[in-house]
Amino acid sequence: MSEPRIAVIGNPGKWSTEVLADALEQRTGFRLVADLSHTALDLSCGKLWFDGHNLCELDGIIVRKVGTDYSPVSIERLEMLRVAEQAGVRVFSPATQLIRLLDRLACTVTLHNHQIPMPPTLVTESIDTAIAQIQQWGSAVLKPLFSTKARGMQILHADQGNKVLETELVRYKTRHPLLYLQQRIDLQGADMGLVFIQGVYQGAYARIAGKKSWNTTIHSGGRYAPCEPDAATLDIAQRAQAAFGLDYATVDVALSDTGPVVFEVSALGGFKGAHTGSGIDLAARLADYALAELRH
């Protein structure tokens, strides 16, 4: 019996994409990294083409990235993978599950409906309502519905005054009509990523903020470090990822004054944090998991 042919959907040349493709090639002899922005879906014959390959003829597809930035078009790219699924290709994680995660609000509502603790959150189109909430909280983080690595996020403080807040919110609404605000909490300079494969906990890593940054992302000068989440944190992360039915998930958790809170669940997080922070080879583990599923 021939080995399964599994493609990696990702960003060619990027570390997490390439190490997963390497791991699959070592195990199967087949290697294909496909960029969804360069695919063509021909619905007249039910074929999804990338560089001469019909992705609907593969055994499996592992989705790592759907572009360099998240935007509404990312959802449309994932919709095309549903045609491959219909043709019998096993997609890790399923496209419909991934779509629920790309939009920050969809992710937040799912977490809320599963009683997962999060920072206090307000979503509104009303600038007056947003200002009143910022005044009550003292400070807030304004977040785009589509973003990665804290790009586009903005801190707003009550002591800036209502006039300044109104100006900032009006400017923000020209790019993001729906205002998504979370109360700013004291991260104490760090948060954690807890990693799961098919709901099984794989390990965790910490992100330590840079000296001049309010957030912990590597993009803003943060660094990775090892960590050992306590039982309460692990339980919350386990419940958070279970709400989405993912093959691979990273749960971003911070420790607040009231206990652990979840910022988001991601199925497209990179492998470098776990590798650098805690020495976990997620590419090998995910490749082994996908092959076991296809051989089952």
Side-chain angles (χ1 to χ4, degrees):
M1 182 181 294
S2 60
E3 292 287 354
R5 296 183 304 153
I6 306 174
V8 177
I9 298 292
N11 296 330
K14 295 298 184 179
W15 187 81
S16 291
T17 296
E18 298 294 342
V19 294
L20 179 56
D22 289 343
L24 290 167
E25 184 178 20
Q26 289 166 6
R27 289 158 174 78
T28 68
F30 179 81
R31 180 189 181 92
L32 177 62
V33 174
D35 182 344
L36 274 185
S37 68
H38 290 81
T39 56
L41 175 61
D42 187 346
L43 288 174
S44 64
C45 56
K47 295 180 179 180
L48 181 60
W49 293 103
F50 174 80
D51 195 26
H53 297 270
N54 177 13
L55 301 185
C56 295
E57 295 178 346
L58 299 175
D59 300 293
I61 292 172
I62 302 179
V63 185
R64 284 280 62 241
K65 300 289 182 181
V66 293
T68 54
D69 295 297
Y70 292 171
S71 69
V73 76
S74 302
I75 291 176
E76 311 310 326
R77 291 170 181 166
L78 287 172
E79 287 286 356
M80 294 192 293
L81 290 180
R82 294 175 57 209
V83 175
E85 290 177 324
Q86 182 65 27
V89 182
R90 173 70 157 89
V91 177
F92 305 86
S93 295
T96 51
Q97 307 303 98
L98 295 175
I99 287 168
R100 296 170 63 207
L101 288 170
L102 286 183
D103 182 325
R104 188 182 306 279
L105 181 55
C107 179
T108 299
V109 168
T110 299
L111 291 172
H112 169 80
N113 287 349
H114 284 78
Q115 293 82 51
I116 304 301
M118 294 178 291
T121 303
L122 174 74
V123 183
T124 182
E125 295 185 48
S126 167
I127 289 176
D128 289 341
T129 301
I131 290 173
Q133 187 64 77
I134 294 167
Q135 291 293 350
Q136 182 179 333
W137 283 340
S139 62
V141 184
L142 191 57
K143 299 183 176 183
L145 296 186
F146 296 91
S147 73
T148 61
K149 302 186 185 303
R151 293 184 180 95
M153 296 185 186
Q154 183 177 344
I155 299 287
L156 295 175
H157 300 282
D159 61 13
Q160 289 177 273
N162 288 1
K163 202 71 170 177
V164 172
L165 290 176
E166 181 180 6
T167 300
E168 292 296 323
L169 289 168
V170 167
R171 181 184 298 120
Y172 201 83
K173 269 179 69 73
T174 62
R175 306 186 306 277
H176 311 284
L178 196 63
L179 300 172
Y180 177 111
L181 299 105
Q182 284 189 327
Q183 184 177 21
R184 187 183 180 187
I185 64 173
D186 182 7
L187 297 179
Q188 300 176 356
D191 63 2
M192 293 174 281
L194 283 72
V195 185
F196 299 83
I197 293 178
Q198 202 186 29
V200 178
Y201 176 61
Q202 303 294 309
Y205 58 93
R207 287 176 293 250
I208 311 298
K211 292 182 179 180
K212 297 182 179 180
S213 177
W214 64 269
N215 68 71
T216 63
T217 67
I218 303 305
H219 177 73
S220 299
R223 60 182 175 83
Y224 298 121
C227 72
E228 290 290 341
D230 61 20
T233 301
L234 180 55
D235 175 69
I236 287 170
Q238 187 92 48
R239 291 194 293 113
Q241 62 83 33
F244 296 92
L246 302 166
D247 291 298
Y248 169 81
T250 301
V251 184
D252 290 342
V253 183
L255 299 180
S256 71
D257 293 339
T258 59
V261 292
V262 173
F263 286 123
E264 66 179 3
V265 176
S266 172
L268 304 176
F271 296 154
K272 190 164 285 185
H275 178 78
T276 303
S278 297
I280 302 170
D281 189 349
L282 286 174
R285 296 187 189 186
L286 190 54
D288 287 339
Y289 162 71
L291 285 168
E293 286 287 297
L294 292 173
R295 291 167 176 162
H296 183 67

